[in-house]
Amino acid sequence: MTVNTSVQIVGIEDAIKQLRRIEPELRKQFNRDATDIARPAVTEAQGKYPEMPLSGMARQWNARGRALFPYSAAAARRNVKVKVDTSRKTRNVILIQQRNPGAVIFETAGRKTDNLLGRSLGVVAPATTRVLEPAVSRNRDRLEDGFRELARKVMRLVESKGY
């Protein structure tokens, strides 16, 4: 269970795949650079998770054998990650995602259907989240500029190697 927020740059996926073939260490550096570019949005999101949104979220909740709660602000902050994914099944190559189940529920509850948990946490619009999307939106220009420059750098490198 994850929630993702992303900025799309067209054409980078193939260049990143080629980068792995050219020099695996350069691909690792790309991942580090992408993480550095996304750091302002990640840091902002990490600072916005409340200590305990609702008292019931402190209890153990399981569904279908998976632990969904207890919610922990520390775990929510720790599990905001930048992921670079070039697999065919994904639409986005660089994602900022929340990987903690309790925090994912906090982020998304009530956005698809009106329910008591979503109303108790506060209204959230469809296709958005409570913390990640606003953090990315406030940093969107910086993220897009940084990712565009990183994409250009990678594409020039791949082209210079003849791929």
Side-chain angles (χ1 to χ4, degrees):
M1 177 182 287
T2 63
V3 64
N4 305 315
T5 300
S6 62
V7 174
Q8 282 189 310
I9 297 175
V10 178
I12 187 66
E13 183 177 356
D14 291 331
I16 295 171
K17 287 179 180 179
Q18 292 296 331
L19 193 59
R20 184 179 331 177
R21 290 184 197 123
I22 294 169
E23 180 62 50
E25 191 56 42
L26 291 176
R27 166 61 193 265
K28 291 176 188 175
Q29 183 61 47
F30 177 87
N31 291 358
R32 289 189 291 270
D33 292 346
T35 300
D36 288 343
I37 292 166
R39 190 174 322 268
V42 169
T43 301
E44 182 178 332
Q46 288 170 331
K48 298 289 183 178
Y49 285 100
E51 284 304 314
M52 188 56 61
L54 299 171
S55 61
M57 294 173 86
R59 295 187 187 98
Q60 182 74 34
W61 291 11
N62 294 307
R64 297 182 211 148
R66 290 186 60 186
L68 301 178
F69 288 110
Y71 170 89
S72 162
R77 291 178 186 116
R78 190 174 49 249
N79 282 287
V80 176
K81 306 281 185 188
V82 176
K83 181 179 180 181
V84 178
D85 185 0
T86 58
S87 67
R88 272 187 253 157
K89 63 184 178 180
T90 188
R91 284 186 8 205
N92 303 312
V93 176
I94 302 170
L95 306 106
I96 298 174
Q97 59 183 200
Q98 172 57 261
R99 299 189 49 91
N100 178 268
V104 169
I105 292 168
F106 166 75
E107 288 269 11
T108 61
R111 75 179 184 177
K112 190 171 185 180
T113 59
D114 183 42
N115 59 52
L116 182 58
L117 179 60
R119 285 191 305 271
S120 298
L121 290 170
V123 176
V124 64
T128 188
T129 59
R130 288 182 172 82
V131 175
L132 284 180
E133 194 278 330
V136 169
S137 290
R138 282 190 286 278
N139 291 281
R140 184 168 290 285
D141 291 339
R142 183 182 309 156
L143 292 171
E144 286 178 351
D145 291 346
F147 289 138
R148 238 184 248 108
E149 183 54 39
L150 182 59
R152 282 189 210 110
K153 179 179 157 186
V154 168
M155 289 177 180
R156 280 193 302 263
L157 178 65
V158 168
E159 287 172 3
S160 72
K161 298 288 185 180
Y163 287 91

